[in-house]
Amino acid sequence: MKQQQGYDEAMDALSSLITKKNRSSQKSNPVDVDHRFDRMFHYLKILDLEEPISQMKIVHVAGTKGKGSTCVFTEAILRNYGLHTGLFTSPHLIDVRERFRLDGEDISREKFLKYFWWCWDRLKAKCSDDMPMPTLFHFLALLAFKIFAAEQVDVAVIEVGLGGRIDATNVVQAPIVCGITPLGYDHTEILGNTLEAIAGQKAGIFKRGVPAFTVSQPHEAMQVLKDKASQLDVHLQVANQLDGNLLNGLRLGLAGEHQYVNAGLAIMLSSTWLQRTGHPEFKSIDQTSSLPEQFIKGLTTASLQGRAQIVPDRACDVNSPSDLVYYMDGAHSPESMEVCANWFSLAIKEDDRQRCSSSHKYDDSRPSNDSRKDSEQVLLFNCMPVRDPQLLFPRLLDTCAGHGVNFKKALFVPNMSIYTKVGSSSSLPPTDSKVDLSWQLTLQRVWENIICGEKGNTESNGHVYDEGKDNDEMSATSCKNSIVFSSLPLAIKYLRDTVKQNKSLRLQVLVTGSLHLVGDVMKLVKK
């Protein structure tokens, strides 16, 4: 209990570092952003981290899509060489400790609190009006460097938070190798609204003479990466997509065809790190015919929450957990939405095929109740107001339709996680019954217009859906193809009730649009 209290105090302290009132208030004065980055070097002095970071053997990864997955693959490969690994990624879904992994495991509460208060107390003692406390992500990056230095990791795999050039992690001056994952349009309000501008920010992690790898990129982005590399004498190479036949019949630990691109990049980052740090046990990579056993084991056992993750609702009081299954992916850009739709469509087909196959193992003449059930697909969605649903929804719907998959219903909900509060896994924040649903209603309107055509289905707008006796609590705006719920728990209750009331129905729920929404669903479903 005492440790929980100390942990809650740490979460309150972290929450005090949040500078924006909500996730969509992203526009910052460029001068302020530069100043915040410059302050990182002063914070490093306060925490005596300059020398430890210069000695750290770092893999630094930026990009629009797949950088977290690439980092996870890279860490898993190097860990399977017996190395003591540190991994820093973002965001976290349930508990902030997910951002800091030691040897593949989230940092323990004891170690987290030890290093948290060590950093916090020293910064508090030295900071002033002229040198304010770091913002949340800057503090978390500093904490990661402190943890990895104190734990004396052999390798630190560091994921860029946003952009690259002035990202908090870019205090790294001498990484062993750098990587740039697929680039696309995201955070354009900060990074610029052209691929050239975005690529320029990402290439900001290149360091003179340090080898770098990327993947196949749009021409305009690739040209910028090449130009930046040339200016810094960086040997930039393009990593090939992994050939799945090299995994000896196994599957990647992270699902989705797009992960073979990330895995190919991770292979080159890992092999280059091993070569440049003089590990004699490593034999040069030959991606054309075989992979070392450690690479295969790392790639096939890597795990990352909220990316192409399938979670049955075991809390649902039905005959089988497979009656309500959540397919979760934190896609939030047009490109990643298409990737997510492909994964979801193929995953539900594979699940249905396996279910039918297993139901006939014992008696081909009598299919089980499970195999006779009708499968319906439901979308559970939210995204930040800076996203454009007019770009997201068509990519999702068209890609799914190409696989013959259509959504019976779309459910729109506000996130439960509170932006001004860093939560922990111990409890869920209370649901505010007076939450502003204007954005969710906008999402619903766009969805209905796309589904029904430009005329929409206006006669159904404003219809109130009621479930149970507590009308005030259960009210939600329902249209022909969608429902807006005032909270996520109400949407989950609706899904569970739907399955309970229809014994011949199986619901396959795609949860996407926001990693924070995915984390909120996990808190509810895994409790």
Side-chain angles (χ1 to χ4, degrees):
M1 187 69 183
K2 185 177 180 182
Q3 189 189 94
Q4 178 59 46
Q5 184 179 3
Y7 196 68
D8 288 342
E9 288 176 4
M11 296 305 102
D12 289 340
L14 273 178
S15 299
S16 72
L17 301 179
I18 296 173
T19 54
K20 298 188 180 85
K21 291 183 179 180
N22 58 64
R23 289 190 177 100
S24 61
S25 59
Q26 294 282 2
K27 291 195 175 180
S28 302
N29 185 323
V31 176
D32 291 340
V33 174
D34 285 344
H35 283 167
R36 282 203 295 268
F37 175 68
D38 291 339
R39 289 188 198 120
M40 281 293 292
F41 295 95
H42 294 286
Y43 300 140
L44 292 179
K45 287 182 181 179
I46 294 171
L47 299 175
D48 295 320
L49 285 175
E50 293 169 301
E51 180 67 18
I53 289 179
S54 70
Q55 299 300 316
M56 217 173 278
K57 295 180 172 63
I58 291 171
V59 178
H60 201 192
V61 181
T64 305
K65 301 165 288 182
K67 59 183 186 289
S69 300
T70 299
C71 286
V72 165
F73 280 135
T74 303
E75 184 277 333
I77 291 169
L78 296 175
R79 175 162 36 89
N80 275 282
Y81 272 92
L83 295 166
H84 180 28
T85 62
L87 172 66
F88 177 58
T89 60
S90 60
H92 64 275
L93 298 188
I94 297 175
D95 194 299
V96 72
R97 292 181 297 113
E98 296 165 26
R99 296 176 184 244
F100 315 93
R101 285 197 200 178
L102 294 169
D103 298 325
E105 300 289 337
D106 297 349
I107 190 172
S108 68
R109 282 200 172 198
E110 293 85 352
K111 285 185 176 180
F112 176 85
L113 288 172
K114 172 185 170 184
Y115 297 127
F116 174 86
W117 290 116
W118 190 95
C119 292
W120 182 268
D121 292 343
R122 279 159 181 75
L123 288 168
K124 268 292 185 184
K126 295 284 188 178
C127 286
S128 62
D129 290 342
D130 293 332
M131 179 60 61
M133 284 287 283
T135 58
L136 176 63
F137 185 77
H138 287 72
F139 182 90
L140 293 174
L142 292 163
L143 178 56
F145 289 126
K146 172 60 184 175
I147 290 170
F148 298 154
E151 292 292 316
Q152 298 182 315
V153 298
D154 297 320
V155 54
V157 182
I158 305 292
E159 178 192 356
V160 166
L162 194 157
R165 184 179 66 84
I166 51 175
D167 183 74
T169 64
N170 207 29
V171 293
V172 173
Q173 298 298 298
I176 300 298
V177 62
C178 295
I180 306 287
T181 65
L183 298 179
Y185 293 96
D186 198 13
H187 299 293
T188 53
E189 70 283 356
I190 298 172
L191 304 179
N193 53 18
T194 67
L195 278 180
E196 291 92 339
I198 292 169
Q201 290 292 326
K202 308 290 184 180
I205 68 167
F206 289 166
K207 301 298 184 297
R208 182 166 296 279
V210 174
F213 292 86
T214 188
V215 296
S216 178
Q217 304 281 10
H219 172 75
E220 58 269 42
M222 185 65 82
Q223 193 56 52
V224 172
L225 296 182
K226 287 179 178 178
D227 291 346
K228 295 283 185 180
S230 177
Q231 293 167 17
L232 292 170
D233 192 27
V234 167
H235 184 44
L236 177 66
Q237 299 180 66
V238 177
N240 294 324
Q241 177 175 320
L242 170 66
D243 180 352
N245 294 321
L246 300 181
L247 296 177
N248 295 344
L250 300 174
R251 292 186 178 185
L252 288 174
L254 305 180
E257 288 301 308
H258 61 290
Q259 293 294 0
Y260 288 89
V261 173
N262 300 327
L265 179 57
I267 287 169
M268 298 312 299
L269 294 174
S270 302
S271 59
T272 302
W273 189 95
L274 289 163
Q275 288 167 355
R276 295 199 76 212
T277 53
H279 281 77
E281 72 277 18
F282 172 70
K283 297 175 183 177
S284 62
I285 205 87
D286 175 18
Q287 259 200 85
T288 59
S289 59
S290 65
L291 283 176
E293 179 186 342
Q294 297 93 331
F295 277 67
I296 294 174
K297 188 171 182 183
L299 291 168
T300 56
T301 60
S303 65
L304 184 61
Q305 286 199 108
R307 278 75 166 184
Q309 188 170 3
I310 302 173
V311 180
D313 191 337
R314 301 189 184 281
C316 189
D317 185 22
V318 291
N319 294 328
S320 168
S322 65
D323 286 347
L324 179 54
V325 180
Y326 300 92
Y327 297 75
M328 299 196 252
D329 190 83
H332 51 263
S333 69
E335 297 88 354
S336 59
M337 198 61 61
E338 183 174 328
V339 166
C340 169
N342 269 314
W343 162 73
F344 174 66
S345 301
L346 294 172
I348 62 174
K349 287 183 178 181
E350 174 67 13
D351 288 353
D352 288 344
R353 186 191 63 77
Q354 289 183 356
R355 201 170 286 113
C356 288
S357 175
S358 62
S359 70
H360 288 288
K361 281 183 180 177
Y362 305 104
D363 187 349
D364 288 343
S365 64
R366 290 192 306 156
S368 69
N369 289 336
D370 198 47
S371 69
R372 287 201 301 263
K373 291 185 177 181
D374 296 323
S375 294
E376 289 184 356
Q377 291 76 48
V378 175
L379 176 67
L380 181 56
F381 189 92
N382 192 33
C383 66
M384 292 195 303
V386 293
R387 313 289 179 201
D388 186 352
Q390 302 272 13
L391 298 177
L392 299 180
F393 290 156
R395 295 288 277 271
L396 174 66
L397 287 164
D398 292 347
T399 305
C400 285
H403 292 278
V405 174
N406 297 288
F407 292 100
K408 183 75 173 180
K409 214 80 163 176
L411 313 182
F412 299 107
V413 296
N415 289 353
M416 287 189 68
S417 52
I418 302 170
Y419 186 62
T420 54
K421 168 83 174 152
V422 179
S424 73
S425 58
S426 60
S427 61
L428 283 163
T431 301
D432 184 356
S433 59
K434 297 179 181 178
V435 66
D436 180 9
L437 295 175
S438 57
W439 175 242
Q440 284 69 39
L441 292 169
T442 297
L443 293 174
Q444 181 184 48
R445 187 164 57 251
V446 173
W447 181 267
E448 290 289 336
N449 284 339
I450 291 173
I451 298 293
C452 301
E454 284 305 312
K455 292 181 180 178
N457 197 24
T458 53
E459 69 271 14
S460 66
N461 287 346
H463 173 69
V464 174
Y465 163 83
D466 295 314
E467 178 73 32
K469 296 179 180 178
D470 300 322
N471 290 342
D472 289 341
E473 292 183 9
M474 293 304 302
S475 64
T477 304
S478 177
C479 293
K480 182 177 180 181
N481 307 289
S482 60
I483 308 174
V484 170
F485 286 96
S486 58
S487 76
L488 177 59
L490 298 184
I492 298 293
K493 182 180 187 305
Y494 164 80
L495 291 168
R496 289 172 173 170
D497 288 348
T498 299
V499 170
K500 287 177 191 175
Q501 292 163 12
N502 192 336
K503 302 298 184 185
S504 64
L505 182 64
R506 177 188 301 112
L507 290 184
Q508 297 165 318
V509 184
L510 175 61
V511 183
T512 191
S514 161
L515 270 169
H516 301 283
L517 174 63
V518 168
D520 293 341
V521 172
M522 282 185 178
K523 288 176 188 175
L524 286 170
V525 173
K526 287 190 166 185
K527 277 207 302 182

